[in-house]
Amino acid sequence: MATAAGGVAAALSPLSGRDYLSSADCSAEETSALLDLAAHLKSGDRRIDLGNRVLGLIFTKASTRTRVSFQVAMARLGGQTVDLNPQVTQLGRGEPLEDTARVLSRYCDVLAVRTFAQQELVDYAHWATVPVINALTDLEHPCQSLADFLTMREAHGDLPGQTLAYIGDGNNVAHSLMLCGALLGVNVRIGCPQGFEPLPGVLEQARSLAVQGAAIDVIHDPREAVRGSQAVYTDVWASMGQEDEQSEREQAFTGFCVDEALLEAADTESIVLHCLPAHRSEEISPGVMESSASRIFDQAENRLHAQQALLAALMGGL
Ligand code: CP
Ligand code: NVA
């Protein structure tokens, strides 16, 4: 379980000044220490005041949880957030990213970017002189995974050896779960229809990072995927930017709804997770969403604690 505060600070000190563009940007020890710090912040064992630091949010896609949890996390660290929505900055009128990133680095101490292409995020990190955080791209959602595994650890204790079954599209959320789970020693099973698998390169990377014998598998039978798992996770079938594929995907994902029947194949103590926003009666049944197994709203809360830990570590505030 959680390590004492001094050990956590030592484990996280190498993160000072670094970017977090992928779940794989932290080592196994650093990832685990971020969860420890998040737990300490959540329980009130630890308080961190970074002074008046400023986070810039550059969000090209919609967001409720990520946006608000970053804003509140920064406020709790004694800092502030500026919302740099591309629609109201010169970015929207074509000012180059390389100029924007360098200018914003003169005002902000850290940037969180939500966009489509991972390469755009990598470009921000290249030109910025402050840490850049992935607040979701088409490839990954690493901040989400920190909150997800914190929630799983709260429910079931030590993570190594536990199994998380993700049922749905092999998307950004699935990619980060595979990478982060591998680092934390969690077996991650992606249960998806043929043609909706995670990227082979990410699967290979997750397997190469796996610690403590964690197995990272892709399974096309949803019942087989959830069998004996301690957490069943799902996400929308059509992500932001894929709205045109909604009806085609509804056909392809028939049988992949996390409903009461599917949950019967999981461990009796299994929890249910969803990154939200949810489409009830598509990827999750209304009953499962509201069931006692659901930790979905704890998971949403944990975005705040996990990102507070991440911000403090990247800004060297420990
Ligand atoms: N889970 C998540 O990232 O939610 P938002 O899109 O509302 O930020
Ligand atoms: N896969 C979803 C996650 C939303 C938080 C998307 O990218 O839209």
Side-chain angles (χ1 to χ4, degrees):
M1 279 304 281
T3 313
V8 170
L12 292 178
S13 65
L15 283 185
S16 178
R18 279 187 11 208
D19 301 314
Y20 193 56
L21 309 184
S22 163
S23 294
D25 283 348
C26 282
S27 68
E29 190 191 21
E30 290 161 352
T31 305
S32 194
L34 281 172
L35 299 196
D36 290 338
L37 179 58
H40 289 306
L41 289 164
K42 184 173 183 177
S43 69
D45 287 352
R46 184 84 205 272
R47 282 184 193 281
I48 298 173
D49 190 340
L50 295 178
N52 195 17
R53 307 284 187 95
V54 178
L55 163 69
L57 294 180
I58 306 171
F59 278 32
T60 305
K61 293 174 172 172
S63 171
T64 298
R65 280 144 290 273
T66 310
R67 180 188 298 283
V68 178
S69 57
F70 265 120
Q71 288 171 328
V72 176
M74 209 53 199
R76 291 202 179 170
L77 291 167
Q80 317 182 27
T81 307
V82 287
D83 200 338
L84 303 161
N85 183 336
Q87 281 153 1
V88 296
T89 63
Q90 298 285 10
L91 267 173
R93 295 180 57 250
E95 183 168 11
L97 182 158
E98 55 263 42
D99 296 349
T100 306
R102 280 179 288 182
V103 169
L104 294 179
S105 298
R106 304 293 180 106
Y107 307 138
C108 300
D109 300 285
V110 57
L111 299 172
V113 180
R114 170 170 285 203
T115 191
F116 292 86
Q118 183 77 7
Q119 186 57 48
E120 192 179 320
L121 181 75
V122 170
D123 292 343
Y124 269 108
H126 175 77
W127 290 104
T129 53
V130 296
V132 174
I133 298 172
N134 182 346
L136 182 145
T137 61
D138 290 348
L139 186 67
E140 277 201 57
H141 198 2
C143 295
Q144 179 71 53
S145 293
L146 293 175
D148 302 340
F149 288 111
L150 179 61
T151 311
M152 196 171 174
R153 198 174 76 166
E154 286 172 345
H156 295 306
D158 283 349
L159 291 170
Q162 292 192 41
T163 298
L164 178 143
Y166 170 96
I167 305 300
D169 186 26
N171 61 14
N172 44 8
V173 168
H175 287 158
S176 285
L177 285 170
M178 288 158 54
L179 294 168
C180 194
L183 290 168
L184 291 166
V186 178
N187 305 309
V188 179
R189 296 192 203 131
I190 306 297
C192 62
Q194 297 275 0
F196 295 90
E197 294 85 359
L199 290 175
V202 179
L203 180 61
E204 196 180 320
Q205 186 185 15
R207 285 178 171 158
S208 75
L209 290 173
V211 300
Q212 305 199 42
I216 313 297
D217 293 308
V218 177
I219 297 169
H220 293 109
D221 175 347
R223 285 187 70 79
E224 186 56 32
V226 304
R227 195 174 309 284
S229 62
Q230 283 74 49
V232 178
Y233 194 125
T234 189
D235 182 18
V236 292
W237 294 335
S239 286
M240 289 182 275
Q242 298 174 330
E243 289 80 2
D244 292 353
E245 299 171 29
Q246 177 68 32
S247 58
E248 174 198 324
R249 282 171 174 261
E250 280 175 30
Q251 297 292 316
F253 284 84
T254 302
F256 283 80
C257 176
V258 174
D259 58 14
E260 289 78 350
L262 186 62
L263 268 195
E264 278 175 19
D267 188 286
T268 48
E269 301 293 314
S270 183
I271 61 168
V272 173
L273 300 174
H274 191 311
C275 56
L276 300 176
H279 291 177
R280 286 171 171 80
S281 303
E282 290 180 26
E283 76 275 4
I284 189 165
S285 71
V288 167
M289 182 96 194
E290 303 299 336
S291 70
S292 58
S294 168
R295 296 289 183 283
I296 292 170
F297 296 99
D298 295 330
Q299 180 187 6
E301 178 190 334
N302 284 339
R303 299 292 307 275
L304 168 62
H305 308 296
Q307 285 155 212
Q308 206 180 328
L310 180 68
L311 287 165
L314 299 186
M315 285 190 277
L318 303 173

